[in-house]
Amino acid sequence: MTLNNIKESELEYREAALHDIALSAGALALERYRARTPGDFTMKGQQDFLTEADTLVEAHIRQSIYRLFPEDGLLGEETGGSVSNPSLWVVDPIDGTANFARGIDHFCVSIAFVHNGETLLGAIYNPATNEMYLARKGHYVRKNGQPLRVSSITNTHSSSFELGWSTRVPQETYLAIVSSLLESGTNIRRGASGALALAWVAEGRTDGYAESHMNAWDCLAGLLMVREAGGRTGLYPQNHEEIAQGGEILAVAPGVSEQFSSATMITLAPETNRQKSNQLGLIA
């Protein structure tokens, strides 16, 4: 049995299914991406894009999961759902829809499996670049089969930090964080896919990511990846109910974690023993 009472064999079955579903969903997203018409999108809100592909890909994922795991719950960006089921899949069919709609190859499918409020599995797949990130709690995080580790950077003056933006947070708060980050000496970038931003922290492409409010479907898989790669994260989510609400997100390389926690005004979660071991190079 695992720590939160799901059989090892059951988790392994979901792990294999997650990989296959992410691949097939990515293939469908890529097909729609290549066939898209420029400007063929609608707006759910300010800078919140929706394409036909979002709905189609989420329907594909939902049908695939329910066919294999009819007793599980699903929370999706486009079709919603309840978080009451102890076995819950959290799905963003296309994260980075603005990039997708504008023909920029920086978007992904993001899927997490949560049991009793704890993220156990995560997949982030960019079909345009064929980059598949997979993680299992307490076991691994890999990209295309290769193990990942966060950067070993210790000086913010040579760091690169990605900052997300949310309409749920006052612009003054966002600008204050930008100012504080610039004062720290870091280079600020924004790729417009929060899930890929977290995956990039896990593999050391960037040294940190923060967003003052992020939804669960954008971040649960990526947060697991960062932790498994030896990085530090914020407190979200602290319980099952918080998953439905979203929250403030921080993911960062340990050598600059305290500085970026201060700059973003986001509290870090305590380090786990696995994170400490990973930082020391004791986990392959």
Side-chain angles (χ1 to χ4, degrees):
M1 305 287 281
T2 66
L3 287 179
N4 62 4
N5 300 320
I6 183 171
K7 290 181 180 179
E8 194 79 12
S9 59
E10 292 177 1
L11 187 60
E12 289 174 355
Y13 184 36
R14 285 174 172 81
E15 184 179 11
L18 172 63
H19 174 264
D20 292 345
I21 293 169
L23 274 178
S24 62
L28 177 58
L30 186 61
E31 176 186 313
R32 303 305 302 176
Y33 178 67
R34 289 173 172 164
R36 78 194 185 286
T37 300
D40 186 15
F41 56 82
T42 57
M43 304 298 294
K44 294 185 287 184
Q46 184 181 357
Q47 293 298 322
D48 192 1
F49 289 71
L50 175 66
T51 69
E52 180 187 28
D54 290 270
T55 305
L56 290 173
V57 174
E58 184 162 315
H60 168 81
I61 295 170
R62 185 176 289 273
Q63 290 164 10
S64 300
I65 289 173
Y66 283 165
R67 183 175 65 253
L68 296 171
F69 311 104
E71 303 302 318
D72 289 3
L74 190 147
L75 175 67
E77 178 178 13
E78 306 307 332
T79 53
S82 169
V83 300
S84 60
N85 194 310
S87 292
L88 178 68
W89 298 82
V90 183
V91 173
D92 191 340
I94 300 177
D95 184 59
T97 306
N99 291 337
F100 181 99
R102 296 183 184 280
I104 300 170
D105 292 355
H106 191 72
F107 61 90
C108 65
V109 176
S110 180
I111 308 173
F113 174 70
V114 180
H115 190 73
N116 288 337
E118 186 176 4
T119 306
L120 300 183
L121 301 171
I124 294 174
Y125 179 45
N126 181 347
T129 58
N130 196 30
E131 292 174 296
M132 172 68 82
Y133 300 84
L134 292 167
R136 177 173 171 179
K137 180 177 170 58
H139 287 260
Y140 67 84
V141 56
R142 304 181 188 124
K143 184 178 87 168
N144 295 347
Q146 298 301 308
L148 302 182
R149 184 167 296 162
V150 295
S151 80
S152 58
I153 198 164
T154 58
N155 188 340
T156 58
H157 285 206
S158 54
S159 67
S160 179
F161 193 92
E162 187 163 350
L163 184 62
W165 173 79
S166 171
T167 56
R168 296 187 184 217
V169 178
Q171 191 175 84
E172 292 77 12
T173 300
Y174 178 79
L175 293 175
I177 293 172
V178 170
S179 178
S180 186
L181 286 170
L182 290 173
E183 289 175 6
S184 77
T186 192
N187 169 52
I188 300 176
R189 67 181 309 278
R190 183 167 189 266
S193 168
L196 281 175
L198 291 167
W200 281 23
V201 175
E203 68 173 311
R205 275 180 167 173
T206 57
D207 307 303
Y209 177 78
E211 189 164 336
S212 296
H213 186 277
M214 203 170 182
N215 291 309
W217 45 77
D218 295 319
C219 67
L220 290 186
L223 289 173
L224 174 62
M225 292 173 188
V226 172
R227 291 191 292 265
E228 289 301 309
R232 298 192 66 184
T233 64
L235 296 170
Y236 178 84
Q238 298 187 77
N239 53 59
H240 202 82
E241 291 71 26
E242 274 195 358
I243 291 174
Q245 303 164 9
E248 55 183 17
I249 301 303
L250 176 64
V252 64
V256 288
S257 58
E258 298 294 341
Q259 298 96 313
F260 285 139
S261 173
S262 176
T264 59
M265 300 176 282
I266 299 175
T267 302
L268 288 164
E271 285 187 286
T272 66
N273 289 333
R274 181 171 176 81
Q275 286 172 309
K276 293 175 182 177
S277 297
N278 205 333
Q279 293 162 30
L280 293 172
L282 301 179
I283 298 176

